[in-house]
Amino acid sequence: MLGGVGDLGRVRLRLDRIRASVGEIDPVFLDTPALECAPLGRALGCSMTLKVETLNPVRSFKGRGTETVAAAARENGVSRMVCASAGNLGQALAYSGSRRGLDVTVVAARTANALKLRRIADLGARVRLVGEDIEDARLLAREIAESDGAYLLEDSLDLATCEGAATIGLELVRDDPALDVVLVALGGGALASGVGYVVRSLAGHAQVIGVQPAGAPAMTLSWRQGTVVETDRIETIADGVAGRCPIPEVLDDLLLVLDEVVLVTEDSIKAGMRMLYEHAGLVVEPSAALGIAAVLEQPERFAGRRVTTILCGSNVGPADFAQWVLEPFTRVGR
C-alpha cells in the first residue's frame, strides 16, 4: 500500500503545522522519555526502546492532541466541546478544556472502563453513557453537538488530534535519527498517522508498523483492502483502540504512511503487559502493550533490530491488571 515520498503530499498532515502545534501543548505532555530497556530487549531478542507517554495528568498520549484542538477552539470563540471516548480521549479533553475554561461533555459506552470514567468526571467534564461500544457513543456525541451547538471533537478525523500525536514522531526522530522500526498502536488512527507521517518525512529509512488487536480489526482489514471495512463486534481488552467503523480520510492517510499493519491475539497482549511489568517495572493498559505483543508473535522478524514502541497509556483498573498480569505470575510461583 505504501507509496513513495512524493505521495506524502496527499496526506492531510503537514510538518509546519505539527511543529507549530508544539507551542500549544502543555509542556507536561512533551519530551517524554525514550528509554532503551536492556532486560526487555534480552527477553525479546532485539534492542527495545520504550517511548513512555504515561507520565502526565491523563496517563496517555491523548493530551497532545486535545491541547492542540482546545487551543484552536478557544481562539475561535468556542465555549462548549463534546467528544465520544473509550476513556483516554475524554480524560485528555476534560483536562485541556478545564485549562481553558471550556465546558466539556464526554460520551462513552455503558461498558466503558469505570476507572477512566471516574477520571473524566474528576477532571471536570460531564459524562454521558449510551449503548454498548464506542460507535454508539459517537452517534450521541454528534447529536449533542447538533442540538447544543457544541464543538464536536472527532478523534483522528479532527486533524489537530493527529498533529498533536505527531509531535511524538518529532521527538523520536530528534532523539534517535538512526531509528529502525517503530511499532504503533492502531485504533482510530491519530497516533499511527501522525507518527507515521513524521517518520516517513524525516527518517524515511525507518519502518512504521501499526499493531491492532485481532478482536478489533476494522482498520487493519481496511488498510489491507484499501477501502473502509466495518465490523459487527468488538472483542478485545484493548478498549483504547477498539472501533468498528474506520474514518475514510484517516484510512487514506494510513495507506500512505504505514509500512505494514499486523494483528495480535489477546494472549499476546496480556503477555506484553506482563513483560513490561516484569522487565521494565511499568504498569500499562492493554493498548500500550500492542507493540510488545507484535514482537512476541514474530520474534524472528525483529531479531537483532532496533525497535521502538510507544507506550500510549496506563489507565488500567487494579482488578483488571491483577487478573491479566499479576495472577499469572502467582500461578507460576513468582
Side-chain angles (χ1 to χ4, degrees):
M1 298 293 178
L2 195 64
V5 175
D7 289 328
L8 291 179
R10 294 159 45 201
V11 178
R12 294 178 302 150
L13 293 99
R14 293 292 178 270
L15 282 173
D16 59 343
R17 292 202 305 259
I18 294 166
R19 290 181 171 125
S21 72
V22 173
E24 304 291 350
I25 299 172
D26 187 334
V28 74
F29 296 109
L30 298 172
D31 294 311
T32 53
L35 308 173
E36 184 175 352
C37 183
L40 184 59
R42 285 193 294 271
L44 292 171
C46 61
S47 170
M48 179 58 68
T49 295
L50 307 174
K51 181 68 166 166
V52 185
E53 292 293 312
T54 63
L55 305 176
N56 60 61
V58 301
R59 305 174 191 167
S60 83
F61 80 97
K62 293 288 188 180
R64 294 181 186 248
T66 58
E67 284 288 279
T68 307
V69 173
R74 191 63 175 160
E75 187 175 332
N76 291 324
V78 170
S79 60
R80 289 177 294 173
M81 301 186 72
V82 60
C83 75
S85 173
N88 286 352
L89 179 72
Q91 289 182 68
L93 185 59
Y95 177 88
S96 297
S98 177
R99 288 187 68 220
R100 295 168 176 84
L102 300 171
D103 181 88
V104 173
T105 297
V106 177
V107 186
R110 294 190 182 96
T111 55
N113 181 302
L115 172 67
K116 295 181 180 182
L117 295 178
R118 287 196 300 271
R119 288 284 297 151
I120 292 169
D122 289 345
L123 288 164
R126 184 180 302 106
V127 179
R128 294 278 301 273
L129 301 179
V130 64
E132 297 303 314
D133 63 31
I134 187 64
E135 305 303 344
D136 296 323
R138 285 185 179 126
L139 292 175
L140 180 56
R142 290 170 191 151
E143 292 175 10
I144 291 172
E146 291 174 3
S147 62
D148 294 355
Y151 179 92
L152 174 63
L153 189 165
E154 292 199 69
D155 197 19
S156 305
L157 179 60
D158 194 318
L159 190 56
T161 60
C162 304
E163 291 169 345
T167 60
I168 296 172
L170 293 179
E171 294 172 14
L172 288 175
V173 175
R174 177 198 66 195
D175 296 339
D176 184 7
L179 208 60
D180 185 13
V181 183
V182 184
L183 298 173
V184 188
L186 177 59
L191 180 62
S193 64
V195 171
Y197 173 76
V198 171
V199 173
R200 283 280 291 162
S201 299
L202 301 179
H205 58 277
Q207 276 190 306
V208 182
I209 300 173
V211 189
Q212 194 163 49
M219 188 62 87
T220 295
L221 297 177
S222 301
W223 190 92
R224 290 174 178 174
Q225 297 188 31
T227 189
V228 169
V229 176
E230 297 185 358
T231 55
D232 295 329
R233 63 182 64 87
I234 293 168
E235 297 176 336
T236 181
I237 62 172
D239 60 331
V241 292
R244 296 186 289 107
C245 305
I247 297 169
E249 294 90 338
V250 183
L251 173 61
D252 289 343
D253 291 342
L254 292 170
L255 288 169
L256 294 171
V257 303
L258 292 184
D259 291 273
E260 191 178 346
V261 293
V262 298
L263 296 173
V264 295
T265 68
E266 298 297 288
D267 285 345
S268 294
I269 295 170
K270 294 172 187 175
M273 293 175 70
R274 289 194 290 272
M275 293 194 78
L276 285 164
Y277 181 71
E278 180 179 10
H279 297 292
L282 294 173
V283 174
V284 300
E285 64 187 80
S287 300
L290 289 171
I292 305 301
V295 179
L296 285 170
E297 292 198 1
Q298 301 183 63
E300 69 289 340
R301 176 177 186 175
F302 301 101
R305 302 184 71 182
R306 295 172 62 249
V307 180
T308 295
T309 190
I310 300 167
L311 304 186
C312 54
S314 63
N315 288 296
V316 58
D320 287 334
F321 190 78
Q323 178 186 350
W324 300 331
V325 177
L326 300 182
E327 289 176 10
F329 279 133
T330 302
R331 285 198 294 270
V332 296
R334 297 194 179 189

